[in-house]
């Protein structure tokens, strides 16, 4: 198909521009202080996304909610699913349903490329590698994806304003037997599973 | 059980406070210089932990020892094991025994969230994803965990002062056949294996 | 063998020196500005290597080429292969051939340890974890490796000047059946595969 001919995961196709250069600004103390703040902002945005992955896989929905802008836009395109959601509450509700006591989530975000756009706006690309078991369904999904996000600073806190991903590859394995688990955190602290409700 | 009701891997439960904000300090050159030093400290702590994972899986016990405070406290809770150790020497001895010529270690630390507490103290959360084969025992362990650490600066060097982890999940696979290896670094440079001693 | 007795993946054996300390420099505004630039340089080098992994696995050979010095030296020692190449064009040609429509590449670079050597030179160690399927050959390779690189700044851009890796372990699995893929980006946007040419 003609529409297949254009790669979707280039920086151009994702709409990620270069951002403010990673170079010091000429000038005096105030200019330098703004440069230093930019470095803190880069660190804060990484910690924000790092907390996101930590909260997902530990079913920590309360802290998870605190990482998102109230009006966040979410668009995740998997091989067998698509999430298109508007707003933090809808998103956290969907996650709470997916990360339940029969789930094992293993989501790691690698290779951050954060672009500062202004003092209060940034974009970012991340490389997701993930595995997810739904134990009661004998189902396992694994693969990789690229995220491209937009972040916004409210007061002193960076928040996720938009978040999108599209898969590099996805493998679905129905009939995956329950792995021989010796410990399973979500099994104790995840949301209620479909079979238990 | 009632004691099962409280999640153990929240920031509160791990005892990780917010730390010095990732924001520039008002003032003059000296204040800004301290801010810049904090950014170097964040980088140095990440490099410290990165060296730790590299040294583990390459059996580099000499450099590994240099990363820990002499009086380090270690507490790792796996699904089938628990390490509670006091002091660098005890810790390096335990690691040297585990990473032997019949081991393959694959330990990656993701998602650093480092909190500076003072000019010489910091805490940090990391998300471990690991696989470990014991070839002569046909045994493989894999899974994820959260680390929460405390770091201390001695002179110009950051050291690991306390380190703890608890599993998100752990899978144990006895009867795992030796994978078809074409190269195996620890097989040449790891410590002596139980069967060889 | 005697030559087997000396570990090859220590910092000494890789030839990676300590670099400029991660400490602020005494002095005035200009000295501090240079310190801040060093922090931007550390970030820029990480983003450079992060883009490299992203471009590999999405078959983005055009952006990939922009990350390398024209005269780059490449030396990768796998368990069953060895790449020793001179020059960006030779390297990009080799990658374009390997990341084709019957490939799934999953390459993640962890644990950056970047050492600044001067304002325009740096070295870096990375911990690679990778999986690569060649679907039409029913072949899968996985494992880990350490990279040690040299970077050079041209104008405002850091480039990869030398890149080497050696395996910690490598597993080769011929006879690996095509995984049950629900989506496969390189299958659409990778280079032509051997069977199709």
């Amino acid at each position: 198909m003609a529409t297949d001919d254009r790669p979707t995961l280039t920086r151009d196709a994702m709409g990620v521009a270069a951002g403010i250069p990673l170079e010091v600004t000429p000038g005096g103390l105030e200019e330098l202080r703004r440069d230093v703040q930019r470095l803190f902002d880069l660190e804060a945005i990484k910690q924000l996304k790092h907390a996101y992955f930590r909260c997902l896989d530990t079913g920590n929905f309360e802290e998870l909610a605190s990482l998102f802008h109230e009006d966040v836009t979410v668009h995740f395109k998997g091989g067998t699913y698509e999430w298109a959601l508007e707003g933090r509450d809808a998103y956290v509700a969907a996650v709470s349903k997916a990360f339940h006591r029969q789930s094992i989530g293993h989501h790691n975000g690698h290779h951050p490329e954060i672009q500062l756009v202004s003092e209060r706006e940034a974009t970012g690309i991340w490389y997701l590698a993930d595995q997810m078991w739904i134990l009661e369904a004998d189902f396992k999904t694994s693969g990789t994806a690229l995220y491209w996000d937009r972040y916004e600073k409210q007061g002193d806190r960076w928040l996720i304003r938009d978040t999108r991903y599209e898969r590099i590859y996805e493998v679905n394995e129905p009939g995956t037997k329950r792995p021989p688990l010796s410990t399973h955190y979500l099994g104790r602290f995840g949301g209620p599973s479909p079979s238990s409700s």
Side-chain angles (χ1 to χ4, degrees), chain A residues 147-158:
Chain A
Y147 273 97
W148 62 105
D149 293 342
R150 198 154 57 86
Y151 310 101
E152 196 177 299
K153 196 173 188 180
Q154 286 193 337
D156 275 2
R157 284 178 52 77
W158 284 93

Side-chain angles (χ1 to χ4, degrees), chain A residues 18-26 31-46 114-122 153 158:
Chain A
I20 303 173
L22 298 170
E23 294 286 325
V24 289
T25 312
E31 284 74 16
L32 190 57
R33 199 192 309 280
R34 276 200 286 276
D35 288 344
V36 174
Q37 183 58 50
R38 287 196 286 138
L39 287 158
F40 280 121
D41 288 333
L42 290 168
E43 176 67 21
I45 291 167
K46 289 179 207 169
I114 310 296
Q115 301 84 27
L116 295 173
V117 174
S118 74
E119 291 184 8
R120 307 213 144 257
E121 289 168 289
K153 196 173 188 180
W158 284 93

Side-chain angles (χ1 to χ4, degrees), chain A residues 49-58 76 81 91 95 98-99 103-110 127-134 141-143 147 165 167 186:
Chain A
K49 190 82 175 179
H50 291 167
Y52 160 76
F53 289 112
R54 169 172 56 77
C55 289
L56 276 186
D57 289 344
T58 55
F76 297 156
Y81 61 89
Y91 174 66
V95 169
F99 287 75
S103 306
I104 304 173
H106 179 164
H107 293 79
N108 293 131
H110 306 303
Y127 186 121
L128 171 71
D130 62 329
Q131 305 185 73
M132 181 97 173
W133 286 263
I134 307 298
T141 298
S142 55
Y147 273 97
Y165 75 64
R167 286 278 181 200
L186 275 185

